[in-house]
Amino acid sequence: MAGNTSMRILLSFLQDQVTTPHPVPSYRFWQHYIKNGIKEAGMSYIEVPEVDWAEGLVYNEGSAALQNWQERSWQATISYIKANRQNIDIFLTYLYPKQINADAIKQIRKMGIPCVNFYCDNIREFKTVPAKFSVFDLIWVPEYEALPMYRKAGVKHINLPMPMWVEPQLRHRNQFTEQPGVSFIGSKDMLRENLLGQAIQQGLPLSVRGAGWLPQHNGPAVETGSVYQKLINQVNFTKQHGLSGLAVKMQQQLNKLAVIPVSNDHIFTSPDFDEYINITQNSMVTLGINRVPTFKRTHHKPLTYSRLRDIEAPMLGACYLTEYCQGIDRLYDTDNEINVYRTVDELVQKATELLSNKEKRDKLRINGQQRALNEHSIPSSLNKIKRTIFDK
């Protein structure tokens, strides 16, 4: 990149080649964010036209279908790079371990193209850094809690925020009308329900929206399976989560979380995009929850890590109150840019204080948005990657 202040990126960020999304959890937003972030940074990207990167998530590890996808995709990628080498400064990817062909990455690096992989489920999915990640020049790691794991593995990495981009017109509100109360938007799980249920029980004026919250009609009864099938399931579970995961699962079964449900009068229909933006920006307090169900921790002492919402909500100018996790105080001044809570009592106390203090709400909106847009944006992250790779 001699003398070039920009960066030309070959991009593999879960792009697909289908009209209907593949049957895997939501993924298309990633390419929307990263592509727009690249453009905003004044950089450019190109793509391997015939490769469906998201398709690789559909197939099981070790299957013939996955092997076939790998052969097709990586051969096409190598051929494309050879034909377009002069237009590529860096290969930026979002690849799961099962998608990675280490030999292909090595070949790309031998052509003088640094390879950087983003991955954002390190804490929840891995006990150790996947061996395949070591083939990259750099791993983009958003979770602060995952850094000791990478240091121990000796895998070169950089701690940068989740890649989040919001449209410029959504960053500036000419007319602003606060909506009363505290809002949470996110899918339902038992940890979120218990936290929110307890907060509502203490009188917090809270509205809840997202997948799974509204009552649904019960489907047909599901067979529990034979003793043999249960044994097979337990063996497969142990292979995936280890003996420690099995021990946590058994603890959770013996000491079940007594979930306090969220009453129906606090649950509202899932918002469309415009409603989502409006609620996030205009609620008196927008709530974040960083605890996740996992077999690494019991439900009584859950795993927490910073989520995409911790970047998005401040970027949108929300008055944001989120759950404390390691590293959140490196992203923000938790007194003047966002607020954090550690317990349900602290959640209720801090939310109540914000509801009664417009001056503080306005301060968090302005300062949090400025910090997120200036320091946690995709252009900022790309420039840090550029300096790490090329300014040696």
Side-chain angles (χ1 to χ4, degrees), residues 36-211:
N36 282 288
I38 289 170
K39 291 176 184 176
E40 186 170 326
M43 301 177 182
S44 61
Y45 66 85
I46 57 175
E47 306 169 75
V48 184
E50 62 267 46
V51 174
D52 185 328
W53 291 106
E55 182 188 349
L57 300 180
V58 176
Y59 308 122
N60 293 327
E61 186 85 48
S63 66
L66 180 62
Q67 183 178 351
N68 178 268
W69 174 85
Q70 275 216 22
E71 290 174 357
R72 287 185 284 112
S73 301
W74 287 107
Q75 285 176 6
T77 300
I78 295 296
S79 297
Y80 184 80
I81 290 173
K82 287 179 177 177
N84 295 275
R85 172 64 190 92
Q86 71 281 5
N87 298 318
I88 303 168
D89 294 314
I90 193 170
F91 186 29
L92 177 62
T93 66
Y94 179 3
L95 295 170
Y96 285 61
K98 67 178 181 179
Q99 296 174 285
I100 297 168
N101 184 310
D103 289 337
I105 297 295
K106 289 176 184 177
Q107 192 172 343
I108 293 167
R109 292 178 66 194
K110 283 182 180 178
M111 287 188 268
I113 298 172
C115 298
V116 178
N117 191 52
F118 166 79
Y119 195 82
C120 66
D121 255 336
N122 294 279
I123 289 295
R124 186 155 48 173
E125 297 295 329
F126 305 142
K127 290 189 289 187
T128 58
V129 176
K132 287 184 177 180
F133 281 4
S134 64
V135 74
F136 289 89
D137 292 275
L138 194 65
I139 303 292
W140 176 348
V141 182
E143 307 106 312
Y144 181 81
E145 299 92 332
L147 301 183
M149 182 169 66
Y150 276 85
R151 286 193 289 266
K152 183 177 180 181
V155 173
K156 191 169 183 184
H157 60 280
I158 185 169
N159 179 217
L160 296 170
M162 291 276 201
M164 180 67 222
W165 183 84
V166 299
E167 297 178 34
Q169 64 266 31
L170 298 179
R171 305 173 194 178
H172 308 287
R173 300 180 307 279
N174 295 325
Q175 293 184 335
F176 176 72
T177 304
E178 280 193 317
Q179 300 171 1
V182 181
S183 68
F184 173 76
I185 304 175
S187 58
K188 180 180 179 180
D189 64 47
M190 68 165 56
L191 297 181
R192 288 174 171 179
E193 181 172 29
N194 193 46
L195 180 73
L196 297 173
Q198 290 181 73
I200 290 169
Q201 194 177 62
Q202 293 190 32
L204 192 67
L206 184 61
S207 63
V208 179
R209 298 171 176 85

